[in-house]
Amino acid sequence: MRALVFFFRGYAIVELTGAEPERCLNRFAQRGIAFWDVEKPDELHLRCRVLLRDVQAAEQAAMRELCTLECLKQCGFRAVFYGVLARPVLVAGLLLAVALTLFLQNYVWFLQVQGNETIPAQEILRELDDLGVRFGTKGSDIDSQMLKNQMLNRIPALQWLAVNRSGGVVTVLVSEREPDATNRDRRVAANVVAKRAGVITSMSVLNGFAQVQSGDAVLAGQLLVSGVASWETHTQVTRAMAEIYAMTLHEQQVTIPAEYAQKVYTGREYRHVSLIFGRKRINLSGNSGIFSGTCDKMIDSRVLSLPGGYVFPLTVETEIVREYELQPEKLPQSVAQALLTEYIQNSVRQSMVAGTILQEDYRLTKAAGGYVLSGALSCEEMIARTVPLPLMGEDGEIGTDDQRGAN
């Protein structure tokens, strides 16, 4: 607290030089001159701090003790901001900035969405824009409760929504509804069938009644684990769940042309610069026509933002158009085989729920105008697929077709 008082009052670091500079401190005390932080670098010099208002009096007191006083540095509020006060235009600018800050915080300048996982933030912001909450909206015009009800009607996937405003920043907190399809599927009785033909290598039945065992060969669609067990007195129904792996064979045949079109750039390049403010686009380039021929287009968007992740609805978009010509090129056989092999491998991996490719066998032939690759891939994959019982409704009740039709 004492240092803060000295800062606003202003002080100076002075150096006393003489045969006995300590005697000056006694003189200061007699005259009521406050001093502190006394240092003595050597026998002839002594440094301390005094208030700016006492510098002249301290100099006179030092002369009476046959010492000299030198002001080394002025510190405090006046010393720091003296240069600013000498520039009235700068001071006026600072005052105007403060006034604008107090005025602009009454309007919306930034909007951000938090809590969304599946619903895109842009969709929520578009609906808010239709309801009048956008860049430049006056904060007092935002009715949070009414906005909440309207947004929940517009986006049924939202379970809860709240609009919080802090100055010029509006934060929209949302909570999404959980899909009941997953919970409903857990209650529906079902069987586990084979997704693909193969030879079973391992089984892990979590629920239900196994119909096959490891080492059995099964066909696609064959029942693996049943969700129904009939006893003498009753019938037990459940949702079968299992993890079953089997050795499978994937056979594919793909083709690729022997020639392809190679891009050769002509060197002609065009740039279109646009300024996007909210929903309005302002063209800053004169050459904004539609180009004929073949071109590559790249778009570079730079959004005006502030530190902390606050984004203005102001975007500078640069569209770069590069013209090219197509020239026919022959595809080497090795490149064709590599491309087709990679395509088959990716296709097989995407078709598997889980599993690995154990062995691959390929045969490349050249047909009229292209290459044909035939592949046979041996895999170990998970073939269990859950399907609802044929005579089971979503309510989980078993009945005949006639009974279900009557209901």
Side-chain angles (χ1 to χ4, degrees):
M1 186 65 183
R2 179 183 176 187
L4 185 62
V5 172
F6 287 153
F7 175 79
F8 281 103
R9 296 185 67 179
Y11 61 92
I13 301 176
V14 298
E15 184 177 65
L16 299 168
T17 305
E20 294 180 316
E22 299 89 352
R23 296 175 60 89
C24 295
L25 300 181
N26 296 331
R27 181 73 65 171
F28 289 171
Q30 293 175 1
R31 292 197 173 189
I33 300 174
F35 61 90
W36 66 96
D37 291 349
V38 178
E39 299 178 2
K40 190 173 183 181
D42 51 50
E43 294 296 329
L44 301 178
H45 296 86
L46 186 145
R47 294 176 185 175
C48 65
R49 303 189 182 199
V50 297
L51 296 175
L52 285 177
R53 68 176 186 181
D54 295 334
V55 171
Q56 187 175 2
E59 185 176 3
Q60 295 176 358
M63 292 177 61
R64 291 184 174 276
E65 299 295 336
L66 302 178
C67 295
T68 60
L69 184 145
E70 181 182 1
C71 183
L72 300 180
K73 184 179 179 181
Q74 293 187 2
C75 305
F77 181 84
R78 181 180 177 184
V80 173
F81 294 100
Y82 179 77
V84 177
L85 297 176
R87 300 178 180 179
V89 177
L90 179 59
V91 174
L94 292 176
L95 295 177
L96 180 61
V98 172
L100 286 176
T101 301
L102 298 176
F103 173 75
L104 294 179
Q105 68 177 355
N106 296 322
Y107 295 85
V108 176
W109 305 110
F110 306 100
L111 291 100
Q112 55 187 5
V113 181
Q114 297 180 1
N116 59 313
E117 295 181 359
T118 59
I119 303 176
Q122 292 301 324
E123 179 182 352
I124 299 175
L125 293 178
R126 280 195 301 269
E127 297 296 339
L128 289 173
D129 187 273
D130 292 340
L131 295 175
V133 181
R134 60 177 71 93
F135 178 81
T137 301
K138 194 172 181 180
S140 58
D141 295 339
I142 299 177
D143 188 341
S144 300
Q145 186 61 35
M146 183 178 296
L147 194 64
K148 168 187 174 182
N149 298 333
Q150 292 175 338
M151 286 293 294
L152 293 180
N153 290 332
R154 285 172 172 258
I155 307 179
L158 289 179
Q159 182 180 11
W160 174 81
L161 180 139
V163 179
N164 298 330
R165 187 175 71 89
S166 176
V169 180
V170 170
T171 303
V172 183
L173 303 175
V174 300
S175 175
E176 302 176 354
R177 294 184 184 275
E178 295 184 0
D180 18 329
T182 303
N183 299 330
R184 185 176 64 250
D185 289 345
R186 291 177 181 175
R187 300 192 300 264
V188 176
N191 292 332
V192 174
V193 300
K195 179 183 177 182
R196 186 181 298 275
V199 178
I200 297 177
T201 57
S202 64
M203 291 184 60
S204 176
V205 179
L206 305 177
N207 199 15
F209 311 96
Q211 305 297 309
V212 294
Q213 59 184 357
S214 297
D216 290 351
V218 297
L219 300 175
Q222 182 175 337
L223 180 63
L224 303 180
V225 181
S226 175
V228 179
S230 298
W231 311 98
E232 293 182 358
T233 58
H234 65 281
T235 300
Q236 183 177 352
V237 181
T238 186
R239 179 176 178 82
M241 292 185 293
E243 187 174 317
I244 302 174
Y245 282 82
M247 296 291 296
T248 60
L249 179 65
H250 292 256
E251 294 181 337
Q252 290 193 16
Q253 189 177 72
V254 292
T255 61
I256 192 172
E259 290 186 354
Y260 67 99
Q262 175 70 29
K263 289 183 180 180
V264 178
Y265 291 97
T266 62
R268 299 177 62 186
E269 184 176 294
Y270 310 93
R271 289 177 178 267
H272 305 152
V273 182
S274 302
L275 183 65
I276 303 175
F277 185 77
R279 294 185 177 182
K280 186 176 181 180
R281 178 185 292 268
I282 303 174
N283 182 27
L284 303 180
S285 301
N287 54 346
S288 59
I290 301 176
F291 298 96
S292 59
T294 52
C295 301
D296 277 344
K297 182 168 66 174
M298 296 176 291
I299 298 178
D300 180 22
S301 298
R302 298 183 180 273
V303 182
L304 181 62
S305 60
L306 294 178
Y310 298 108
V311 180
F312 281 106
L314 186 63
T315 304
V316 179
E317 184 179 279
T318 304
E319 181 180 290
I320 304 173
V321 179
R322 300 177 62 191
E323 190 179 60
Y324 64 86
E325 296 177 351
L326 296 177
Q327 294 184 0
E329 295 286 344
K330 290 187 177 181
L331 184 66
Q333 182 174 341
S334 58
V335 176
Q337 183 164 358
L339 292 175
L340 294 176
T341 300
E342 183 180 3
Y343 177 84
I344 292 178
Q345 291 174 347
N346 293 336
S347 177
V348 171
R349 290 192 180 98
Q350 292 177 2
S351 66
M352 295 189 298
V353 177
T356 56
I357 299 175
L358 301 179
Q359 187 176 358
E360 305 173 48
D361 184 22
Y362 301 102
R363 184 168 58 90
L364 182 67
T365 58
K366 190 171 183 180
Y371 298 98
V372 179
L373 182 67
S374 301
L377 289 77
S378 299
C379 308
E380 183 180 16
E381 62 176 297
M382 211 266 281
I383 63 170
R385 182 167 65 95
T386 304
V387 296
L389 291 176
L391 300 181
M392 182 66 60
E394 291 189 357
D395 54 358
E397 296 182 357
I398 299 178
T400 63
D401 290 336
D402 295 337
Q403 293 172 339
R404 289 170 60 93
N407 294 333

